């Protein structure tokens, strides 16, 4: 970009007349990327710098008029023009948050120490901090050829010399955004009578339960052969029992207790009768002990050919990744971010993130829908980058692997500063994908004129931009200074979202930022930042649904956390598919007002358990049903209620009789005749 010369105007002021405001505001139909309809849009008309002769004539005229410069470096002519604008415009120009657009290098130098206090991103681009240097899970051979190809493509993108002074130009180019016209949403053939288990089966098929049963039985024999002793408390499991086991783990996330054994406690206020009826505590512990997903006898040792660090969960990943991708076709706006899996114990791949609510956990990269939170793909954390270039290359590989299969469909991706870089956005743009997200200003390729040492201290709402084709670089100040890159937003467009209604406690007057209706205006933000704030929520929505009810219990085996993570993720995705497929209507048989995720989980767990009863449960049930005298066990014919209900025994025989009497122990209504004794036989 050309250096600034004395007397040349570096900025263009937002034109905020009534005509400009009416023509620049976006219609609701053309509002890009799920932005709120309450956002007021303005466009900053780009004005190229005048010649030096015109600048000198303008300076002479201003000196003759005796006009001085304002506090923001603009002439009094510009200030007078801004004073005649409309109410919303006066808020923007006169409220201390001038909106400016760079048209050349400002040539100004500021004290870096003073600016460092307000900078949101540090100049260091070390985006990863882990608790240890090495991982006990070797991912080096995982998808080696694929990562090597991604690395070379990353180097090819860097070869375009994005650091050249001529790479970035003035923000006056017209960008081209192709419309998104692909069919999106849930893809299944379930009818209106489908229930929660049917939707869960789309993502977690019965073949996985059969595989878990086979490998669990094999692993139990493998452990007994290695120890040389047989386990007297173990007997082979089956599919029904494995489904009941998973159903109990789902219910443990809803009815949370500190210890697993408390679900089988004899205390009536703590113990759960449903858990006791399904299986014994010892059987649950044995299933947990021998639960397995892979063939341990054929597992390659570290260093051997074909070694896979994720071998223990590879069968699960191969199935679930395909089902999640096929069950829901991605919408236009997608989010790429990381989530943390809470762990207990010491794991080398565990990361410590001080700025996150879950500060310690295993990291998984996720591609989610920005609107619904549906997770299309998940990629497990593959290691710690040791250098800045390694970190940038890691983000490049993660994004390209997550969006594989979306090329040429013109999706809009939103990601955080760990991923966003100039080579990545160029690669995505060539593949027919648009992207937007904040970035580190010190990364290779970011415009030199927009870096902290050249921009200086910005006012709130002030921003600078540079452009190269669809690629737009922006630096602005909102609550803090933010640098971002985008390929889906035109330069020079800002939006103002209405804030919350404010009330004066002392009643001395109204706030300057409020209009006559009492609605306060927010800080004007450039279009890339608004798009990011509106659509960077897909992974957060998925995390909110997933963290409400955990599945599984803490353990010492790292792969168990990933197993229950994917089971929980399939539950969340199944709930989203059911909600969108039925338009919010609950499945048949539900009598509540609103079918929430809690109802979905309880109903799914009940259907997975079904009528299964373990050996001890069946023994107890038989002892009660076939007792010679039901009265010995507390079963008596008593008056149940004032209103008559259908007799359970008659209903089982296909008859319809009602009675106010029944058995309180069994909680059923029975006729006073022979139905009581016949039911208890």
């Amino acid at each position: 970009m050309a250096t600034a010369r004395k007397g040349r105007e570096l900025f263009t002021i937002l034109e905020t007349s009534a005509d400009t405001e009416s023509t620049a505001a976006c219609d609701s139909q053309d509002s890009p990327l799920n932005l709120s309809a309450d956002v007021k849009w303005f466009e900053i008309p780009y004005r190229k710098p005048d010649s030096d002769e015109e600048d000198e004539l303008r300076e002479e005229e201003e000196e003759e008029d005796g006009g001085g410069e304002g506090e923001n470096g603009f002439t009094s002519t510009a200030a007078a023009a801004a004073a005649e604008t409309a109410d919303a415009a006066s808020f923007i120009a006169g409220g201390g948050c001038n909106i400016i657009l760079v048209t050349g290098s400002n040539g100004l130098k500021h004290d870096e120490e003073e600016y460092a206090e307000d900078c949101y991103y540090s100049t260091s681009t070390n985006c990863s901090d882990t608790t240890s240097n090495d991982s006990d899970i070797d991912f080096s051979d995982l998808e080696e050829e694929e990562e090597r190809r991604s690395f070379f493509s990353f180097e090819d993108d860097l070869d375009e010399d994005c650091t050249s002074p001529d790479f970035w130009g003035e923000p006056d180019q017209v960008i081209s955004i192709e419309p998104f016209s692909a069919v999106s949403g849930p893809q299944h053939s379930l009818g209106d009578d489908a229930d929660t288990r049917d939707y869960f089966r789309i993502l977690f098929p019965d073949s996985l339960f059969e595989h878990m049963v086979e490998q669990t039985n094999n692993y139990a024999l493998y452990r007994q052969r290695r120890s040389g002793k047989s386990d007297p408390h173990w007997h082979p499991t089956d599919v029904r029992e494995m489904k009941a086991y998973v159903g109990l783990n789902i219910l443990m996330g809803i009815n949370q207790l500190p210890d697993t054994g408390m679900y089988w406690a004899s205390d009536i206020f703590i113990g759960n009768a449903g858990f006791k009826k399904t299986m014994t505590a010892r059987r649950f512990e044995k299933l947990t002990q021998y639960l397995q997903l892979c063939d341990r006898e054929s597992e390659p040792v570290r260093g051997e050919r074909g070694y896979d660090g994720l071998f223990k969960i590879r069968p699960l990943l191969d199935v679930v990744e395909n089902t999640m991708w096929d069950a829901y076709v991605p919408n236009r706006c997608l989010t790429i971010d990381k989530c943390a899996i809470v762990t207990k114990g010491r794991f080398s791949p565990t990361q410590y993130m001080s700025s996150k609510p879950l500060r310690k956990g295993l990291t998984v990269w996720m591609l989610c829908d920005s609107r619904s939170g549906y997770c299309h793909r998940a990629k497990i954390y593959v290691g710690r980058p040791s250098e800045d270039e390694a970190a940038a290359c890691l983000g490049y590989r993660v994004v390209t692997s997550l969006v594989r299969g979306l090329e040429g469909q013109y999706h809009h991706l939103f990601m955080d500063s760990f991923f966003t870089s100039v080579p990545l956005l160029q690669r995505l743009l060539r593949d027919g994908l648009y992207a937007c997200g904040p970035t580190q200003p010190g990364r290779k390729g970011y415009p030199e004129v927009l870096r902290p040492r050249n921009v200086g201290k910005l006012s709130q709402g002030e921003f600078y931009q540079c452009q190269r084709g669809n690629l737009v670089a922006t630096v602005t100040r909102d609550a803090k200074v933010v640098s971002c890159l985008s390929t889906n937003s035109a330069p020079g467009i800002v939006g103002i979202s209405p804030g919350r209604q404010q009330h004066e406690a002392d009643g001395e007057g109204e706030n300057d930022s409020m209009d006559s209706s009492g609605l306060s205006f927010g800080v004007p933000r450039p279009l890339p930042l608004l798009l990011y704030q509106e659509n960077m929520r897909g992974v957060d929505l998925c995390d909110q649904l997933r963290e409400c009810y955990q599945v599984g219990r803490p353990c010492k085996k790292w792969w168990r956390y990933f197993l229950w993570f994917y089971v929980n993720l399939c539950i969340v995705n199944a709930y989203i598919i059911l909600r969108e497929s039925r338009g919010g209507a609950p499945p048949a048989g539900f009598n509540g007002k609103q079918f929430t995720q809690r109802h979905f989980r309880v109903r799914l767990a009940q259907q997975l358990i079904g009528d299964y009863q373990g050996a001890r449960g069946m023994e107890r049930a038989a002892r009660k049903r076939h007792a010679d005298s039901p009265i010995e066990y507390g079963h008596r014919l008593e008056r149940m209620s004032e209103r008559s209900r259908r007799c359970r025994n008659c209903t089982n025989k296909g008859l319809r009789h009602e009675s106010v009497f029944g058995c309180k122990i069994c909680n059923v209504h029975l006729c006073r005749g022979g139905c009581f004794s016949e039911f208890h036989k």
Side-chain angles (χ1 to χ4, degrees), residues 288-309:
T288 303
Q289 177 183 351
Y290 294 119
L291 181 64
Q292 198 62 233
L293 294 174
C294 66
D295 186 4
R296 295 295 301 273
E297 296 184 12
S298 62
E299 181 179 5
V301 184
R302 186 189 299 267
E304 291 185 359
R305 183 178 181 83
Y307 172 76
D308 184 4

Side-chain angles (χ1 to χ4, degrees), residues 320-473:
V320 173
E321 287 181 354
N322 292 330
T323 56
M324 290 195 308
W325 183 258
D326 297 336
Y328 195 107
V329 179
N331 289 310
R332 177 175 62 170
C333 297
L334 303 173
T335 303
I336 298 177
D337 202 355
K338 67 179 178 181
C339 72
I341 304 175
V342 182
T343 61
K344 286 188 177 181
R346 301 180 63 182
F347 299 93
S348 294
T350 301
Q351 283 189 301
Y352 182 78
M353 299 160 285
S354 58
S355 60
K356 299 292 184 180
L358 304 176
R359 297 189 175 184
K360 183 181 179 182
L362 300 169
T363 299
V364 178
W365 314 111
M366 300 176 66
L367 173 69
C368 296
D369 186 84
S370 298
R371 180 173 55 87
S372 63
Y374 182 91
C375 179
H376 298 281
R377 272 183 181 151
K379 184 177 179 64
I380 298 174
Y381 171 69
V382 294
R384 176 185 179 184
S386 57
E387 299 177 358
D388 177 31
E389 293 185 0
C393 186
L394 173 62
Y396 186 96
R397 292 201 312 267
V398 169
V399 174
T400 52
S401 62
L402 287 176
V403 301
R404 187 177 296 108
L406 299 178
E407 294 83 358
Q409 300 183 21
Y410 308 113
H411 291 274
H412 294 252
L413 308 176
F414 297 88
M415 60 197 79
D416 64 6
S417 59
F418 181 83
F419 307 99
T420 310
S421 63
V422 173
L424 175 61
L425 266 66
Q426 289 180 305
R427 162 71 182 275
L428 295 176
L429 190 60
R430 288 202 306 266
D431 293 342
L433 298 171
Y434 304 103
C436 177
T439 186
Q440 301 286 349
R443 280 193 176 162
K444 189 173 183 179
Y446 193 76
E448 186 69 24
V449 295
L450 300 186
R451 298 197 176 187
R453 61 176 178 270
N454 295 328
V455 175
K457 192 169 184 178
L458 301 176
S459 302
Q460 194 173 32
E462 183 181 8
F463 69 96
Y464 295 82
Q465 287 182 322
C466 294
Q467 185 180 5
R468 179 183 176 85
N470 268 44
L471 185 59
V472 177

Side-chain angles (χ1 to χ4, degrees), residues 115-411:
Y115 178 75
E117 298 178 358
D118 300 318
C119 187
Y120 181 76
Y121 297 110
S122 122
T123 55
S124 173
T125 56
N126 186 10
C127 308
S128 172
D129 186 15
T130 57
T131 56
S132 64
N133 295 330
D134 300 325
S135 172
D136 61 349
I137 306 176
D138 186 8
F139 298 93
S140 57
D141 297 332
L142 185 60
E143 301 177 354
E144 184 175 355
E145 294 184 3
E146 173 188 336
E147 294 186 356
R148 186 181 295 110
R149 289 195 300 267
S150 299
F151 177 78
F152 286 128
S153 62
F154 176 78
E155 295 293 335
D156 294 340
D157 291 335
L158 288 179
D159 290 340
E160 295 186 6
D161 197 13
C162 55
T163 60
S164 172
D166 299 332
F167 183 83
W168 294 97
E170 309 290 352
D172 57 349
Q173 308 172 35
V174 178
I175 68 172
S176 174
I177 300 180
E178 297 293 335
F180 176 79
S181 57
V183 179
S184 59
Q187 302 293 319
H188 59 81
S189 58
L190 298 178
D192 295 337
D193 57 344
D195 214 326
T196 54
R197 184 179 173 182
D198 300 319
Y199 288 96
F200 180 72
R201 190 182 289 116
I202 297 175
L203 302 163
F204 203 93
D206 292 339
S207 59
L208 267 179
F209 286 107
E210 297 173 358
H211 181 81
M212 293 170 64
V213 169
E214 179 184 359
Q215 297 304 328
T216 300
N217 292 331
N218 293 340
Y219 182 67
L221 297 177
Y222 168 76
R223 286 284 301 273
Q224 294 177 37
R225 286 198 303 267
R226 289 192 59 182
S227 62
K229 297 183 297 184
S230 61
D231 190 345
H233 302 293
W234 169 258
H235 60 271
T237 183
D238 54 14
V239 175
R240 289 187 61 201
E241 187 178 38
M242 186 59 65
K243 290 182 178 180
Y245 173 77
V246 174
L248 292 181
N249 278 277
I250 295 174
L251 291 176
M252 286 180 179
I254 299 175
N255 182 19
Q256 300 182 13
L257 293 177
D259 185 70
T260 306
M262 297 180 68
Y263 293 97
W264 285 268
S266 58
D267 192 332
I268 60 175
F269 297 104
I270 299 178
N272 191 301
F275 279 66
K276 299 176 184 179
K277 181 180 178 181
T278 304
M279 65 178 64
T280 62
R282 176 176 292 176
R283 183 58 179 173
F284 186 88
E285 292 176 359
K286 287 300 175 182
L287 289 174
T288 303
Q289 177 183 351
Y290 294 119
L291 181 64
Q292 198 62 233
L293 294 174
C294 66
D295 186 4
R296 295 295 301 273
E297 296 184 12
S298 62
E299 181 179 5
V301 184
R302 186 189 299 267
E304 291 185 359
R305 183 178 181 83
Y307 172 76
D308 184 4
L310 299 177
F311 181 83
K312 291 182 177 64
I313 59 173
R314 181 59 59 188
L316 174 69
L317 298 178
D318 293 341
V319 175
V320 173
E321 287 181 354
N322 292 330
T323 56
M324 290 195 308
W325 183 258
D326 297 336
Y328 195 107
V329 179
N331 289 310
R332 177 175 62 170
C333 297
L334 303 173
T335 303
I336 298 177
D337 202 355
K338 67 179 178 181
C339 72
I341 304 175
V342 182
T343 61
K344 286 188 177 181
R346 301 180 63 182
F347 299 93
S348 294
T350 301
Q351 283 189 301
Y352 182 78
M353 299 160 285
S354 58
S355 60
K356 299 292 184 180
L358 304 176
R359 297 189 175 184
K360 183 181 179 182
L362 300 169
T363 299
V364 178
W365 314 111
M366 300 176 66
L367 173 69
C368 296
D369 186 84
S370 298
R371 180 173 55 87
S372 63
Y374 182 91
C375 179
H376 298 281
R377 272 183 181 151
K379 184 177 179 64
I380 298 174
Y381 171 69
V382 294
R384 176 185 179 184
S386 57
E387 299 177 358
D388 177 31
E389 293 185 0
C393 186
L394 173 62
Y396 186 96
R397 292 201 312 267
V398 169
V399 174
T400 52
S401 62
L402 287 176
V403 301
R404 187 177 296 108
L406 299 178
E407 294 83 358
Q409 300 183 21
Y410 308 113
H411 291 274

